Amino acid sequence: MAILDILTYPDPRLHKVAAPVEEVNDDIRQLVRDMAETMYAAPGIGLAATQVDVHKQVIVIDLSEDKSALQVFINPKIVSQCGSQEYEEGCLSVPGIYEPVTRAAEVTVEALDEHGKPFTLKADGLLAVCIQHEIDHLLGKVFVEYLSSLKQTRIKNKLKKRQRERA
C-alpha cells in the first residue's frame, strides 16, 4: 500500500472528469487500498480518485471513528435524491477551509463494490453529503464552487499564499 499525493485546489487537474472503470481488477483494488490508506493518513472521511490524480470513477468513504467501515463506490451514479440540507463541508484538496453547502438530504446511489458486484444504497445525513461531495470530484467539481465568487477568490488566494510559503 502507498500514501498518494492529494491535489490541492485550485490545481486544474481537479477539474478533469473521471472515466468509468471498465473492469474491476487487481489494479483497481490496489487503487482502492492506496486511496483508503491516503484518506486515513490525511485524515479524512472521503476521497475520490480525481483527488490523487487518477481520473477513474472510484470513491472511498469511511465515517467510522475507528476506520472500520470502509465503503467503496466504483462508477457511482445518484439515481434519486430528495429534500435538502445544509452541512459545513471540508475537503482534503482544500485544506483548512470549511464552508456550509446545501445538498440533497437523501440520495440513492448505484455503484460497484471492490469486487465488481453492483449494489444500491440509500443514504441520508453525513453519508449523503459525502457521496454527493465525492461524486462532484469525479465530475470535476470542488465544493468551493458552490460558494460565491468572492469567497472562491479568497480561498484560492489563501491556498496559493500557503503554497508559496511552503515552497
Side-chain angles (χ1 to χ4, degrees):
M1 297 208 299
I3 294 180
L4 308 169
D5 290 331
I6 297 173
L7 301 177
T8 304
Y9 181 80
D11 191 309
R13 294 172 290 179
L14 288 168
H15 298 293
K16 197 169 177 183
V17 176
V21 172
E22 299 291 327
E23 177 192 358
V24 179
N25 55 26
D26 288 342
D27 290 342
I28 295 297
R29 283 185 281 278
Q30 183 62 51
L31 174 63
V32 165
R33 287 190 295 274
D34 291 345
M35 286 174 60
E37 185 175 0
T38 302
M39 175 185 70
Y40 292 137
I45 58 172
L47 188 68
T50 301
Q51 293 176 270
V52 294
D53 203 21
V54 176
H55 302 283
K56 296 180 189 285
Q57 294 181 12
V58 179
I59 292 170
V60 294
I61 294 174
D62 189 340
L63 303 182
S64 70
E65 292 288 321
D66 62 355
K67 305 175 183 177
S68 65
L70 183 69
Q71 294 177 279
V72 176
F73 300 83
I74 298 170
N75 299 339
K77 285 186 183 42
I78 293 175
V79 293
S80 71
Q81 59 186 40
C82 66
S84 75
Q85 64 179 333
E86 185 176 86
Y87 223 94
E88 188 172 80
E89 294 188 27
C91 180
L92 295 176
S93 291
V94 191
I97 306 294
Y98 299 90
E99 291 287 340
V101 176
T102 301
R103 297 189 184 270
E106 284 184 19
V107 296
T108 302
V109 63
E110 292 178 348
L112 302 175
D113 68 13
E114 66 272 25
H115 307 291
K117 185 175 170 225
F119 69 93
T120 302
L121 176 74
K122 191 172 203 156
D124 60 10
L126 181 57
L127 182 57
V129 169
C130 280
I131 289 168
Q132 292 170 85
H133 177 112
E134 301 306 337
I135 287 177
D136 273 356
H137 277 301
L138 299 180
L139 300 172
K141 189 168 184 176
V142 181
F143 89 96
V144 296
E145 292 166 32
Y146 287 97
L147 309 176
S148 71
S149 57
L150 176 65
K151 276 191 176 178
Q152 288 181 48
T153 300
R154 284 185 181 154
I155 290 168
K156 277 182 195 171
N157 291 339
K158 183 189 255 185
L159 293 175
K160 284 179 182 176
K161 182 180 176 190
R162 246 191 245 161
Q163 287 172 340
R164 281 193 306 272
E165 288 169 354
R166 285 192 192 127

